[in-house]
Amino acid sequence: MKFQLERILLFSDAVFAIAITLMIIEIKPPHIAHGASFAESFRAFLNVIPQIFGTVLSFCMIGLYWFRHHDLMQHLVAYNVTFIQLNFVLLLAVAFIPFSTAFTIENSTTSFTLLVYNLNYIVVNVLNFIIYKYALNPKNNLCVATVSDEISVLKKDTLFSISVFTIVIILGFFNCNLAVFGYALFGFYGVFVKDKPAEIK
């Protein structure tokens, strides 16, 4: 059983690793003409700042989802078909993050591109909460013991994250340039989600 759980974890890690690697590939360096001045080179670099910002944000978010998934797996002693199915759906949503990021970066930032980008994250957050709640439910006999505190913290975390992404979507319909500053709300995470999940052993 432990070997099978490790296979699930290794497969999941591979999907996260590929998704997070694709984020870096999406940053396309600007073409600077031979003999260009410092100012021209600097302006060309400034043009890729949105790509860098979007990539760094998505890179960090995928890393956070990987951390949560790793945290979940440490509690499991068994698995079933439903868990595998939920895990696959979660990984599918994560695998779409490089696409939604590239879609937003490659096109002019509009209310629609922001909608696609942030909806992707909302779906991942919801699926992450669902798989956590299912796996740690004692009735399903997948975890060592009841860990209701983790569910409580994750529920706050999920609601907070979804709220931020929703705010960015709404702001995008009014002003796309200002909407991206909505992500700064993540800086207040500790105020709304004061408890922390158990540390990984």
Side-chain angles (χ1 to χ4, degrees):
M1 183 65 70
K2 182 179 180 181
F3 174 71
Q4 295 301 328
L5 283 171
E6 288 180 351
R7 289 188 63 193
I8 295 174
L9 178 59
L10 290 173
F11 176 80
S12 302
D13 281 351
V15 174
F16 279 106
I18 292 172
I20 211 167
T21 301
L22 289 175
M23 298 310 311
I24 301 300
I25 296 176
E26 289 302 328
I27 298 182
K28 297 177 176 59
H31 174 72
I32 299 176
H34 178 70
S37 66
F38 179 88
E40 291 172 332
S41 301
F42 183 67
R43 283 195 296 270
F45 175 77
L46 289 179
N47 290 332
V48 299
I49 292 297
Q51 293 184 31
I52 295 174
F53 174 78
T55 299
V56 170
L57 177 62
S58 296
F59 190 97
C60 292
M61 294 303 296
I62 293 176
L64 178 60
Y65 296 134
W66 171 83
F67 177 85
R68 290 173 180 166
H69 190 273
H70 195 58
D71 180 58
L72 169 64
M73 294 298 293
Q74 73 171 333
H75 297 296
L76 302 187
V77 293
Y79 68 95
N80 57 25
V81 174
T82 301
F83 175 79
I84 292 178
Q85 291 173 337
L86 289 173
N87 192 57
F88 260 87
V89 176
L90 172 63
L91 294 177
L92 175 62
V94 170
F96 265 97
I97 292 179
F99 167 77
S100 63
T101 303
F103 176 70
T104 304
I105 291 174
E106 291 296 324
N107 300 284
S108 299
T109 302
T110 66
S111 56
F112 180 73
T113 56
L114 282 176
L115 176 65
V116 171
Y117 181 73
N118 288 280
L119 272 181
N120 194 170
Y121 282 112
I122 289 174
V123 170
V124 173
N125 275 277
V126 171
L127 290 173
N128 186 66
F129 178 73
I130 290 174
I131 193 172
Y132 245 92
K133 190 173 182 180
Y134 178 83
L136 301 185
N137 187 338
K139 295 180 180 179
N140 297 319
N141 299 315
L142 301 183
C143 60
V144 181
T146 304
V147 279
S148 57
D149 289 343
E150 293 244 356
I151 292 296
S152 176
V153 173
L154 188 66
K155 185 175 182 179
K156 296 177 186 177
D157 180 278
T158 302
L159 290 175
F160 177 78
S161 298
I162 289 177
S163 297
V164 173
F165 292 126
T166 302
I167 288 172
V168 174
I169 290 174
I170 295 173
L171 290 175
F173 285 103
F174 296 97
N175 190 313
C176 292
N177 293 325
L178 292 178
V180 295
F181 289 100
Y183 296 116
L185 292 172
F186 279 113
F188 297 94
Y189 176 86
V191 176
F192 294 93
V193 187
K194 297 181 180 180
D195 299 318
K196 296 181 179 180
E199 295 183 356
I200 294 180
K201 298 178 180 179

